[in-house]
Amino acid sequence: CILGTHHEKGAQTFWSVVNRLPLSSNAVLCWKFCHVFHKLLRDGHPNVLKDSLRYRNELSDMSRMWGHLSEGYGQLCSIYLKLLRTKMEYHTKNPRFPGNLQMSDRQLDEAGESDVNNFFQLTVEMFDYLECELNLFQTVFNSLDMSRSVSVTAAGQCRLAPLIQVILDCSHLYDYTVKLLFKLHSCLPADTLQGHRDRFMEQFTKLKDLFYRSSNLQYFKRLIQIPQLPENPPNFLRASALSEHISPVVVIPAEASSPDSEPVLEKDDLMDMDASQQNLFDNKFDDIFGSSFSSDPFNFNSQNGVNKDEKDHLIERLYREISGLKAQLENMKTESQRVVLQLKGHVSELEAELAEQQHLRQQAADDCEFLRAELDELRRQREDTEKAQRSLSEIERKAQANEQRYSKLKEKYSELVQNHADLLRKNAEVTKQVSMARQAQVDLEREKKELEDSLERISDQGQRKTQEQLEVLESLKQELATSQRELQVLQGSLETSAQSEANWAAQFAELEKERDSLVSGAAHREEELSALRKELQDTQLKLASTEESMCQLAKDQRKMLLVGSRKAAEQVIQDALNQLEEPPLISCAGSADHLLSTVTSISSCIEQLEKSWSQFLACPEDISGLLHSITLLAHLTSDAIAHGATTCLRAPPEPADSLTEACKQYGRETLAYLASLEEEGSLENADSTAMRNCLSKIKAIGEELLPRGLDIKQEELGDLVDKEMAATSAAIETATARIEEMLSKSRAGDTGVKLEVNERILGCCTSLMQAIQVLIVASKDLQREIVESGRGTASPKEFYAKNSRWTEGLISASKAVGWGATVMVDAADLVVQGRGKFEELMVCSHEIAASTAQLVAASKVKADKDSPNLAQLQQASRGVNQATAGVVASTISGKSQIEETDNMDFSSMTLTQIKRQEMDSQVRVLELENELQKERQKLGELRKKHYELAGVAEGWEEGTEASPPTLQEAVTEKE
């Protein structure tokens, strides 16, 4: 099927076969159809999608129908059909994505057209697409009994086979979703994308579980290598995490065994089977004839007393050697096959690894290119950031000073911890005031916590510039954790120790004094931390001022570029306007089709310019697209003005003046539009309505100046008239010969009423052909007279070229006459053979009459009304009408004669049978009346469409003198 779609560049044949399949009544057949259609959408010709869109509603109806079945393949078919519908809609909305979803990173960026709104919507559609894939994945697994080896059974493999396509789709969708989410997080706030992250986490968990379960099935191990997702999902809040992302690669081995293949018996198994069957035969022989011959039942030499000679022994020994060699050969073959299979498996693994390495290399190359672009940008900005670097060096010096202060603070904090530990050891014997000591310890821990929070805030601020400060902060946290653990141990010792209470009061007073000293030390440390915060704030203010000055400088440069590009574009357009009346332009001539092509390009360029201008207003940093659009608009405008001036040279005076004025007005409106781009305001200041109106006016004038009848060269019209007339005469002669041949066959093979009817009909057809032949000769004479009287000194070809519309009418009428004769002969042949319809023959006769009437009308348009050739032509036309009436009359008479011979015999029918026949006849009458009404409507629509197409193809217009008559006029004249 895949090769067929590429051969015929579409899927018409596929759908013509599918429409004849009972998909609505056979669930398994519908399931396999979904599998094949999924493969065609992925690997078939791109036109498969276009040819399949017309069947979307049928697939939706079938999905709803199968959804009513809760067992078997019903739910599976319903969900699979929904997935296929979603896949078709996704690729219709996003035509840049191929059916197999394989795209590079650059193609993925181009699919979003550098618009964050497009990327946002594309991500939502990918989530919906992946949700349908996961739903089918989960439903197939839920329908299987995973407690048994379902992947090796035919029923299990039938359900698992489509999941290979699902795995291929899911791997690409997951990869593109990760990349798009990183891109969105770089442009939008994190809160806006919270819903995206939640939905991604849910799908990540499902996909990871399904990939893991699939990789453990024996069925998939020999058909596809399923990738494993990372243990943790990507962190989209950290931009550098994109470099850690590895795209999942699904590898399909080059030579995979078919899932429907059955196990094949080896040669050794066949030999063992033959040996067992031989032993069974021997046992049956012994049971029937006795065991006296069990050693060698057919050895008559030993029965007759004849001993074996040396030759027999040699033969037996050679047989034994041959058997041994055969066994060794089979063992060697088995071993070689096993080695070949091992090597093939190793080659498949190496190919998979090679594909993964190639993917990683491509990803590394893309990252390298991106980093190289960033490096170039940084090099361009290096000169502008020298001042900022000096400020950073000063900040680094202050950071070193802060590091020294941190070291001192660490030492003092260690002393504080040591003193506190000594105090706790001294207070080990205190038992009565344990609660008060605990309260003091809680206060001390709170103060330490405040000191720790201050240290963390300072370390967070210093972490932006140096990594060493972070290491110091980590060491402080570790020491603080150690101190806390020591405090917990001491608290345990306080609770368990209660040995001495003698010196409690003095020791408690000493403990209070030590606590006061700790409070004063903490206050001193707080003052030092406040000083450090103030220094950091000053440094941040300097950095902000530096960045503001750099942004202002970049803004001024972009504004200068925009003004320069606009002035250059205005100069190009002004030069084109100035050259409208110069001699170099007047000396050459152009064509209207070139002018229309340029106008179309300008319309597209204006749309791109408006889009680039809106993007520039939203993001002033992106100016490259706006500069390119302005430059392109200037050059296209210059080309349009030049083409307009040259087109005027071949146009009549009035359209030429209008076109020149329109080109000048368009140039002035373009200059005004470019001048409005200089103003810094909203998008409404730059209005392109006036430009578009001028372009519409230029396009309308250009379309009026297009030459007519370009499909046939005028110098070929004369030859074509002669050829069509000759072809029509040849067709009439051929039809006459065929009718004579059919008449001879009928006389030889038919008798009675049938022979009489056939002779009458064929005779009338022969008379009609002879009348048409006379009409064609008369038409040729009249045309020759018209050409001779109207061409003057010109040649006949020049006369035909000058009157091209009249000539095309003659050609069309000649074709219609020849075609009608051929069709009528075919219909007569079928009627004579008994396989045709009399009505078809009558319709063909009417069509021939209409075609000849059209030929007569087209011939006499330019003829003199007193011409004898015209009178002869009209006489021949009346002869054709009479011959046509004869054909119709003979056909009606023959039909009635044939029907009279086929009258029903009611003599042997009962009342019930007659009543049944009467009811059937009434039903048939109603059906025929309904069909007749529909066919009449269809005939009216066909005639209407035929008149329209004939007028468009031959350039007929109302009110022209030389226009040929329509088919309706021809039929009216015939009647």
Side-chain angles (χ1 to χ4, degrees), residues 887-902:
V887 172
V888 173
S890 62
T891 303
I892 295 175
S893 174
K895 179 182 179 183
S896 62
Q897 283 184 296
I898 295 297
E899 289 177 350
E900 288 176 359
T901 59
D902 295 336

Side-chain angles (χ1 to χ4, degrees), residues 275-443:
S276 61
Q277 293 178 354
Q278 181 66 32
N279 293 333
L280 180 63
F281 175 78
D282 293 341
N283 293 334
K284 290 182 178 180
F285 186 89
D286 292 340
D287 293 338
I288 296 174
F289 296 101
S291 60
S292 59
F293 304 102
S294 60
S295 59
D296 191 0
F298 296 102
N299 188 357
F300 298 103
N301 291 331
S302 59
Q303 296 176 12
N304 296 329
V306 180
N307 296 326
K308 296 180 179 180
D309 55 4
E310 293 180 358
K311 185 181 294 184
D312 295 332
H313 290 291
L314 179 60
I315 292 172
E316 290 180 357
R317 186 173 72 252
L318 291 176
Y319 275 137
R320 287 194 298 271
E321 291 179 358
I322 291 172
S323 300
L325 291 175
K326 287 183 178 179
Q328 293 178 3
L329 180 60
E330 293 299 330
N331 293 333
M332 292 176 64
K333 288 182 178 180
T334 304
E335 183 66 21
S336 63
Q337 291 177 356
R338 185 181 62 81
V339 172
V340 168
L341 292 176
Q342 290 180 353
L343 291 176
K344 287 183 178 180
H346 186 57
V347 168
S348 300
E349 294 176 358
L350 291 178
E351 289 178 349
E353 184 177 357
L354 176 60
E356 185 175 1
Q357 292 296 329
Q358 289 177 350
H359 178 73
L360 294 176
R361 183 184 64 182
Q362 182 64 30
Q363 186 174 3
D366 295 338
D367 294 340
C368 181
E369 183 179 356
F370 176 73
L371 293 175
R372 187 179 294 108
E374 288 186 349
L375 181 59
D376 294 338
E377 183 68 21
L378 291 174
R379 287 176 179 175
R380 287 192 298 268
Q381 297 178 356
R382 181 176 59 184
E383 296 179 358
D384 298 335
T385 56
E386 289 181 355
K387 186 176 179 180
Q389 288 179 354
R390 290 195 295 271
S391 300
L392 290 176
S393 61
E394 184 178 355
I395 293 172
E396 290 179 355
R397 289 195 299 272
K398 291 183 179 181
Q400 293 178 358
N402 292 338
E403 182 182 359
Q404 295 177 0
R405 292 179 183 177
Y406 285 140
S407 301
K408 294 179 181 179
L409 184 62
K410 175 184 175 183
E411 294 176 358
K412 292 181 181 179
Y413 184 76
S414 300
E415 294 176 0
L416 182 63
V417 173
Q418 186 64 32
N419 294 332
H420 183 66
D422 294 338
L423 291 175
L424 289 176
R425 283 194 295 270
K426 292 177 182 179
N427 199 32
E429 298 178 355
V430 178
T431 55
K432 293 182 180 181
Q433 299 295 333
V434 172
S435 59
M436 297 176 63
R438 288 178 180 175
Q439 185 64 34
Q441 289 176 358
V442 170
D443 296 338

Side-chain angles (χ1 to χ4, degrees), residues 466-476:
T466 175
Q467 185 66 25
E468 297 178 357
Q469 295 177 2
L470 179 62
E471 296 177 356
V472 173
L473 182 60
E474 292 295 334
S475 63
L476 288 175

Side-chain angles (χ1 to χ4, degrees), residues 732-836:
I732 297 300
E733 293 177 357
T734 304
T736 304
R738 287 186 58 188
I739 292 173
E740 293 295 336
E741 182 181 355
M742 287 186 289
L743 184 58
S744 300
K745 291 182 179 179
S746 178
R747 289 172 177 173
D750 298 331
T751 57
V753 176
K754 186 175 182 181
L755 177 59
E756 180 183 356
V757 170
N758 291 343
E759 286 181 344
R760 189 185 308 122
I761 292 175
L762 293 178
C764 292
C765 290
T766 303
S767 301
L768 177 60
M769 293 300 159
Q770 293 174 355
I772 294 174
Q773 201 162 11
V774 172
L775 177 70
I776 292 174
V777 173
S779 176
K780 288 182 180 180
D781 294 339
L782 180 59
Q783 292 172 20
R784 190 178 303 110
E785 178 184 345
I786 293 172
V787 173
E788 292 296 333
S789 62
R791 67 185 180 90
T793 58
S795 63
K797 291 185 178 180
E798 294 176 352
F799 178 81
Y800 283 124
K802 181 179 179 181
N803 301 273
S804 59
R805 198 167 295 172
W806 175 72
T807 306
E808 290 173 355
L810 291 177
I811 295 173
S812 175
S814 300
K815 288 182 179 179
V817 171
W819 175 81
T822 304
V823 173
M824 193 195 74
V825 172
D826 294 337
D829 190 9
L830 293 176
V831 169
V832 170
Q833 295 178 9
R835 295 186 289 109

Side-chain angles (χ1 to χ4, degrees), residues 24 27 63-76 78:
S24 300
S63 175
R64 286 193 295 270
M65 188 272 294
W66 283 117
H68 295 300
L69 299 180
S70 59
E71 297 180 356
Y73 282 87
Q75 288 293 328
L76 295 178
S78 176

Side-chain angles (χ1 to χ4, degrees), residues 146 196 200 345 455 540 556 584 598 700 719 721 836 928 943:
M146 304 307 293
H196 279 49
F200 174 80
L455 290 174
Q540 291 176 352
D556 295 338
T598 307
D719 296 337
V721 171
L928 291 176
R943 284 179 174 175

Side-chain angles (χ1 to χ4, degrees), residues 560-575:
M560 292 174 61
L561 286 174
L562 179 59
V563 172
S565 177
R566 183 185 59 79
K567 289 183 178 180
E570 290 177 353
Q571 184 63 34
V572 172
I573 297 173
Q574 190 62 45
D575 293 341

